[in-house]
Amino acid sequence: MFGLFGPNGAGKTTCLRVLSGLTQPDQGSATVCGIDVRAAPNEVRRELGILIDIPFPYEEVTVRRYLSFFAEMAGVPRPEIPAKVEWTMSLLGVTPHADSRIGKLSMGERQRTELARVMLSTARMLFLDEPFSNVDVSMRIGLRSILREWVSRGGSILFTSHNLLESEAIVDRYAFLHLGRIIALGTARELKSTLLAPAYELEVSNVDRGLAALRAIPHQTLESAGRGLVRIGLVSRDDAPRIARTLVEANVDLLEMKSVGTMEDVYSRLTQPAPPAVQGVSR
Amino acid sequence: MISWEERLRLILAIVDKDRRIPVWMWITTFLIALVGFFLLLPAALSSVSYSFRPTWTWYDYNLRPYYAVSAALTSLLLGLTFAHFHHGEVHRGTIRSIILYPVDMNDITIAKLVSSLIVSAILSTVLFVGVFGGFFLVGYFPLGDFLAIHVTALVMSFLALAAGVFLAQAIAHVAGRMVISPTALGAIFLLLSILMTESGLTFLGTQVAFLMRPSGRGSTIADFEAIRNIAQSLSVFSPHHVGARILAIAFGITGMWADLHVIVPLAVLIFAGGYLFGKKLYLDVFIR
């Protein structure tokens, strides 16, 4: 699962549109599933399940009829359509609304209906633009596992979102866009190790003794985070193994140790504005 | 390359969705036809009696008005249904979902034209046959001939609409955006196809001549002849002129040439150009 992130106007949706063969690129080339997007935009869309933009479903039709129509558009053989529609509706939790008109649904239910439309696709690649918007928390957890399962069965997903914390649970590789250009690319681990200072949150048996012992390790920040927690920002990632050793030598139990850098921190690091230029200094 | 079978399947899926028009449209159509039927029923009953049952004969003067009624009816319904199916979908934004599937501009256009043709063919036939139903019941009007008039007018209206729609595609490709919507240009072509008939142009010409006449002088026979000559020359651009000529030949009214030499190459040029340019159009042209 590949995540595309960036501020509003960075070009995420435009990128998806170009790759879907919907928007003419000004220059350059792109291939999706080995197909040249400029030469054969229709063929590209045959290989994709796409969710772009705010959904504009047919408000006057029922969920079942809406999905049956798009199942046919997606190339599902006619005899298989009813079963596939039922399966997809139950997967996305819209079965109770199967015979309701879409116009009567809430925004979250509409979004799930749109996701059901995409999941009807026979394609092995999905383009999902903000798939979790308007979806409640419990359904998001379910959706994340559905998408992970899709990927584990050999599918690929190109995904955009503004919610980086949520994306950490599902995205394998990240690309950060800014003004139409990719400014960072890699896995969460690669990006964090490149862009963030190594920081850890430690749960220890004695905070005061722990803080005293950890001062021996070169650090940028060292502070108590309350309730048996200590937070340390190291100068070098190479010093990370020393933390446990140092605490044991000081007779302090280390109950838990976790990295505290998130992809949101990576995003902030990438998009933070440059400080005002000082004479003779530039960034 | 997407096969013709696959394209046809996608087009038929869109047509199948579109053809399910609301029930109130059917009810309204049947009610209008019923009202028309009862309004004309006394005239139909008085046209025949037990002792006198005249044989219907076609002349130029009785073909023109019935063809005009059918042309107006089919043009109106084709224009409205196409606007509902095509522009309605763009306006409501639902086209954004359709374009996410492997269709091109031509597939969407063809599907919407076929949907309009099916729905307006049924509705207009109900109205045309229903309103004149009394005359058919008493055996005064030949039903087969009237159906031939209606089918011809429907085909010619459809050609005018389709030409406008495909021309809009070609213009969109050249301009890089939808300068004029297919619905608008289709409607303009439908209107022109009626106004550009000999009767339409003669009517317009005499009105213009009347407005521009020197004070104290009315239009002369010579003026009228000149107007009619111009109208006859220009009417070759109207599909309805060609349709009426074909019917006039079929009904034995005239042996004159159907003037296909202008309309056929023009239509082929517009359809071929629109189709080729339509293939190259990126579908976000609906959104921009």
Side-chain angles (χ1 to χ4, degrees), chain A residues 53-133:
Chain A
D53 272 342
I54 313 150
F56 288 90
Y58 296 95
E59 304 224 329
E60 70 280 8
V61 302
T62 63
V63 171
R64 183 178 277 118
R65 231 177 82 188
Y66 179 73
L67 294 177
S68 299
F69 166 60
F70 282 109
E72 199 164 356
M73 293 291 284
V76 178
R78 273 205 166 177
E80 295 172 24
I81 288 176
K84 181 128 194 195
V85 166
E86 291 301 325
W87 175 78
T88 316
M89 285 196 300
S90 71
L91 191 70
L92 272 298
V94 288
T95 307
H97 313 291
D99 296 312
S100 305
R101 288 195 301 116
I102 293 178
K104 300 260 183 194
L105 302 183
S106 69
M107 289 306 285
E109 289 159 353
R110 284 178 188 216
Q111 182 71 2
R112 279 189 276 149
T113 305
E114 276 300 294
L115 278 165
R117 175 184 68 70
V118 178
M119 301 300 279
L120 280 168
S121 170
T122 52
R124 300 305 306 153
M125 187 161 189
L126 304 182
F127 282 4
L128 304 177
D129 191 11
E130 298 281 354
F132 301 138
S133 58

Side-chain angles (χ1 to χ4, degrees), chain B residues 73-95:
Chain B
L73 195 61
T74 52
S75 296
L76 185 71
L77 281 167
L78 272 169
L80 287 175
T81 50
F82 187 78
H84 175 70
F85 293 138
H86 193 281
H87 180 72
E89 192 119 47
V90 175
H91 181 69
R92 289 190 299 272
T94 48
I95 196 86

Side-chain angles (χ1 to χ4, degrees), chain B residues 13 17 28 85-86 93 110 128 157 205 210 215 232 247 256 271 284:
Chain B
K17 171 186 74 67
T28 309
F85 293 138
H86 193 281
I110 291 168
F128 190 69
S157 297
F210 179 76
S215 57
Q232 278 176 344
L247 285 168
M256 288 170 79
F271 289 138
D284 68 346

Side-chain angles (χ1 to χ4, degrees), chain B residues 36 50 70 103 120 248 255:
Chain B
Y50 287 112
S70 185
V103 288
S120 56

Side-chain angles (χ1 to χ4, degrees), chain A residues 13-225:
Chain A
T13 303
T14 304
C15 179
L16 288 190
R17 286 194 165 283
V18 169
L19 291 176
S20 306
L22 293 169
T23 297
Q24 185 172 17
D26 295 329
Q27 57 183 2
S29 63
T31 56
V32 174
C33 301
I35 302 166
D36 186 341
V37 170
R38 293 184 92 140
N42 292 359
E43 281 81 344
V44 165
R45 284 197 295 281
R46 188 168 52 179
E47 306 299 325
L48 300 173
I50 310 170
L51 174 71
I52 298 183
D53 272 342
I54 313 150
F56 288 90
Y58 296 95
E59 304 224 329
E60 70 280 8
V61 302
T62 63
V63 171
R64 183 178 277 118
R65 231 177 82 188
Y66 179 73
L67 294 177
S68 299
F69 166 60
F70 282 109
E72 199 164 356
M73 293 291 284
V76 178
R78 273 205 166 177
E80 295 172 24
I81 288 176
K84 181 128 194 195
V85 166
E86 291 301 325
W87 175 78
T88 316
M89 285 196 300
S90 71
L91 191 70
L92 272 298
V94 288
T95 307
H97 313 291
D99 296 312
S100 305
R101 288 195 301 116
I102 293 178
K104 300 260 183 194
L105 302 183
S106 69
M107 289 306 285
E109 289 159 353
R110 284 178 188 216
Q111 182 71 2
R112 279 189 276 149
T113 305
E114 276 300 294
L115 278 165
R117 175 184 68 70
V118 178
M119 301 300 279
L120 280 168
S121 170
T122 52
R124 300 305 306 153
M125 187 161 189
L126 304 182
F127 282 4
L128 304 177
D129 191 11
E130 298 281 354
F132 301 138
S133 58
N134 297 314
V135 178
D136 62 50
V137 177
S138 60
M139 186 46 72
R140 281 174 186 222
I141 295 166
L143 282 178
R144 286 206 297 260
S145 64
I146 290 167
L147 296 182
R148 282 302 330 169
E149 197 187 324
W150 176 281
V151 173
S152 68
R153 281 187 289 154
S156 302
I157 297 175
L158 179 55
F159 168 95
T160 78
S161 174
H162 283 109
N163 193 334
L164 274 156
L165 288 176
E166 188 172 65
S167 72
E168 286 203 68
I170 50 171
V171 170
D172 299 312
R173 289 188 80 212
Y174 293 78
F176 285 91
L177 279 179
H178 187 60
L179 299 174
R181 292 189 179 279
I182 292 177
I183 53 170
L185 180 69
T187 63
R189 178 180 281 271
E190 287 165 354
L191 292 169
K192 283 177 186 176
S193 65
T194 312
L195 295 161
L196 298 181
Y200 301 92
E201 193 172 80
L202 317 169
E203 189 176 351
V204 293
S205 58
N206 188 311
V207 171
D208 294 334
R209 288 220 311 268
L211 284 170
L214 291 169
R215 281 197 188 95
I217 303 171
H219 60 270
Q220 293 182 8
T221 57
L222 179 64
E223 60 189 3
S224 165

